[in-house]
Amino acid sequence: PLPPPPYPPSSIIRTVNLPTDWRNTRSKCQKRRVPSGFILFITTDRGSPCCFHTMPRPTRKLAAVPEAGASEQSAKRTKTSGAVATAAAPPSGLTIKSLSVRSRSTKGAASSGGMERGDSAVDLCSFKGNFQPTKMGGKSSGAPHTLAYRVTFTHGSKTISPWHDIPYRASAMTYHMMCEIPKWTRAKFEVATKEVNNPIKQDEKKGVLRTYKHGDMLFNYGFMPQTWEDPGHVSADTGFKGDDDPLDMVEVGCRQMRSGEVAEVKVLGCLAMIDDGETDWKVFCIRVDDPLAALLNDVEDLDKELPGLVDTMREWFRTYKLAEGKPLNAFALGEQCMDRRYTEKVIQETHGMWRDSEQELRRLAAPETLASPIL
């Protein structure tokens, strides 16, 4: 089986362009000798992947943290100060896990099965890096399609907040996303930012459950944990305040995710949507185990591999409220989809806003049962 991307640049040793009807030559390609730990990509003449030939990839040390937005090609693989981690290829599906690292601090460590507070090896996460999506569980209460319906989350034996307790970074190059609304559905599920432990619920207005009247989602829609668009902060680039929510994530991969599913993603770009006088960033991303992930690393790759996608998504966000009798949404920054470098600056800024206000955000959701402090 093909290990999930992204792959080290040095592992891509050859790309073979085949005619559209490649099956007659497939056996010849499979007989090519590929050194252990290297990957052969086979594509059609239209540039779409049709099959892969792979051999076991050796474990590699954790990549050094590059400057914001630096590409994988420029990242050097080195020992990290205070810790050494290895990145073996994770299994498919939801068994992607963050790199395991040693922390310089274990103050506030959680009980067995939970997540531990401490310094990350890359000094970017609020947790030590022992978060594993496979340890997550969900418990529903109330009947589906009712105002009482909620899904709360656990990690091991500990109840967690998916907003505050899942690390926003999965590695030095990737991030975590939780899906709220799967593609091809329209029920407006969202993380309840003002409720204890921030469960997922279906949004409502005046006692009526909300759905997207515009039609089904064209993408997996969710949020990035440990980020917050501060309503008290006016963006210098957009001229509008934040919308009081975590960053919205637009996952453009092939597979439909599940509501409440956590995935490791690569960010590609972002749109600065202005919704009712507030900045509402839309971050484009793709799961690292998606078949197209190896081809998509920046917004220009979206235009190359999936032409028309960015424009289609922009128009979807611009017009979806018309069906509810509301005006069109607008976009700042000349309506441009900004590149990965810029997007990672937005992520760092909103993560900083969350970090500076985490305790207050927790208190607003659970004033009588405040969670353990960060450190």
Side-chain angles (χ1 to χ4, degrees), residues 51-286:
C51 68
F52 298 90
H53 183 81
T54 181
M55 298 188 73
R57 182 177 58 162
T59 58
R60 294 177 180 272
K61 295 177 181 178
L62 178 64
V65 182
E67 295 180 1
S71 65
E72 290 89 338
Q73 286 80 357
S74 62
K76 295 181 179 179
R77 300 181 173 276
T78 62
K79 289 186 178 181
T80 309
S81 175
V84 176
T86 59
S92 60
L94 271 184
T95 53
I96 305 164
K97 63 181 291 185
S98 297
L99 299 176
S100 177
V101 298
R102 292 198 303 271
S103 172
R104 296 190 299 272
S105 170
T106 57
K107 184 178 179 181
S111 60
S112 176
M115 292 178 289
E116 298 176 353
R117 297 285 188 176
D119 299 326
S120 165
V122 292
D123 294 323
L124 290 170
C125 301
S126 295
F127 294 97
K128 289 173 59 178
N130 61 341
F131 170 76
Q132 299 180 37
T134 52
K135 288 188 177 181
M136 280 197 64
K139 182 180 180 181
S140 61
S141 60
H145 314 297
T146 68
L147 294 173
Y149 184 70
R150 297 290 186 276
V151 178
T152 56
F153 297 92
T154 59
H155 185 267
S157 61
K158 182 180 180 182
T159 299
I160 65 168
S161 158
W163 182 16
H164 301 306
D165 294 328
I166 297 175
Y168 79 119
R169 281 213 181 243
S171 73
M173 292 291 187
T174 59
Y175 299 85
H176 282 127
M177 165 196 174
M178 173 173 275
C179 179
E180 296 164 301
I181 308 172
K183 67 192 304 183
W184 320 135
T185 69
R186 64 181 68 182
K188 193 177 186 302
F189 285 99
E190 64 179 15
V191 63
T193 59
K194 300 297 190 293
E195 296 185 17
V196 178
N197 292 320
N198 310 120
I200 280 184
K201 66 173 185 177
Q202 188 169 353
D203 191 22
E204 56 88 17
K205 186 174 183 180
K206 297 181 179 180
V208 178
L209 295 174
R210 295 185 64 191
T211 60
Y212 284 100
K213 296 181 180 180
H214 184 70
D216 291 347
M217 281 285 186
L218 303 179
F219 41 82
N220 294 305
Y221 194 57
F223 70 95
M224 180 179 288
Q226 295 186 343
T227 61
W228 181 51
E229 298 185 56
D230 185 356
H233 171 77
V234 175
S235 169
D237 289 351
T238 69
F240 293 90
K241 64 181 181 179
D243 70 349
D244 198 21
D245 284 322
L247 280 178
D248 292 331
M249 304 296 286
V250 179
E251 201 275 329
V252 299
C254 302
R255 187 176 67 81
Q256 183 188 55
M257 296 176 65
R258 301 185 304 275
S259 186
E261 181 179 349
V262 177
E264 183 179 358
V265 298
K266 298 196 298 184
V267 299
L268 306 172
C270 66
L271 290 170
M273 192 176 91
I274 307 303
D275 183 359
D276 198 20
E278 298 175 332
T279 302
D280 189 6
W281 296 103
K282 305 299 181 185
V283 177
F284 288 83
C285 64
I286 189 164

Side-chain angles (χ1 to χ4, degrees), residues 9-70:
S10 60
S11 69
I12 304 172
I13 62 169
R14 188 174 180 83
T15 299
V16 181
N17 291 316
L18 301 178
T20 304
D21 183 12
W22 50 271
R23 291 173 180 80
N24 293 334
T25 55
R26 182 180 182 183
S27 60
K28 296 180 181 178
C29 291
Q30 288 180 327
K31 291 178 181 178
R32 291 179 181 270
R33 297 192 64 182
V34 182
S36 177
F38 290 85
I39 298 159
L40 177 66
F41 290 85
I42 302 176
T43 64
T44 69
D45 57 358
R46 296 180 182 178
S48 301
C50 60
C51 68
F52 298 90
H53 183 81
T54 181
M55 298 188 73
R57 182 177 58 162
T59 58
R60 294 177 180 272
K61 295 177 181 178
L62 178 64
V65 182
E67 295 180 1

